[in-house]
């Protein structure tokens, strides 16, 4: 599954959105239960990554250093969790359980 290249020098956000759409189509076709949870989690992380990248790009464009640092940190955390979840369905299940605990802690 080769990723689409940014050969047209598109705006970076448009290119990343195309990548999300490309990967989303691939992940949405996953049917097996354990792998469906994994695909759903990865798709959610990809969407969060796109949002963080957009915030980073906007912060950098407007010279907002603190917001750029915060967005870069978010991207790093999303990358770590994405790599962790992509290794196995078991890792994804642990990630989802941790996310559930985080959400329940906010209630």
């Amino acid at each position: 599954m080769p990723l689409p290249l940014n050969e047209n020098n598109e705006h970076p956000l448009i290119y990343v959105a195309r990548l999300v759409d490309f990967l989303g189509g691939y992940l949405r076709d996953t049917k097996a239960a354990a792998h469906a949870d994994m695909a759903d989690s990865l798709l959610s992380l990809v969407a969060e990554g796109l949002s963080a990248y957009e915030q980073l790009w906007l912060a950098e464009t407007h010279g907002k250093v603190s917001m750029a640092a915060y967005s870069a940190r978010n991207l790093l955390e999303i990358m770590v969790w994405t790599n962790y979840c992509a290794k196995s369905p078991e890792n994804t299940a642990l990630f989802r359980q941790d996310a559930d605990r985080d959400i329940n802690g906010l209630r």
Side-chain angles (χ1 to χ4, degrees), residues 51-71:
S51 177
Y53 180 77
E54 177 185 24
Q55 291 172 3
L56 175 60
W57 186 83
L58 289 170
E60 192 278 329
T61 300
H62 293 34
K64 297 188 176 198
V65 176
S66 293
M67 181 55 95
Y70 178 76
S71 298

Side-chain angles (χ1 to χ4, degrees), residues 3-100:
L3 292 174
L5 299 175
N6 191 3
E7 295 173 340
N8 301 326
N9 292 321
E10 296 173 296
H11 186 285
L13 291 177
I14 293 172
Y15 173 64
V16 172
R18 276 194 329 109
L19 286 176
V20 169
D21 193 44
F22 174 80
L23 291 171
Y26 178 76
L27 293 171
R28 279 188 288 276
D29 290 340
T30 304
K31 302 292 185 227
H35 294 291
D37 283 346
M38 189 175 179
D40 181 56
S41 294
L42 290 172
L43 188 56
S44 295
L45 285 163
V46 166
E48 289 297 322
L50 177 60
S51 177
Y53 180 77
E54 177 185 24
Q55 291 172 3
L56 175 60
W57 186 83
L58 289 170
E60 192 278 329
T61 300
H62 293 34
K64 297 188 176 198
V65 176
S66 293
M67 181 55 95
Y70 178 76
S71 298
R73 183 234 171 254
N74 285 348
L75 272 173
L76 178 62
E77 184 176 3
I78 291 165
M79 182 188 74
V80 168
W81 283 119
T82 301
N83 286 330
Y84 177 77
C85 289
K87 289 185 184 203
S88 71
E90 294 78 21
N91 283 3
T92 302
L94 291 171
F95 169 76
R96 291 170 74 103
Q97 290 168 9
D98 187 54
D100 286 344

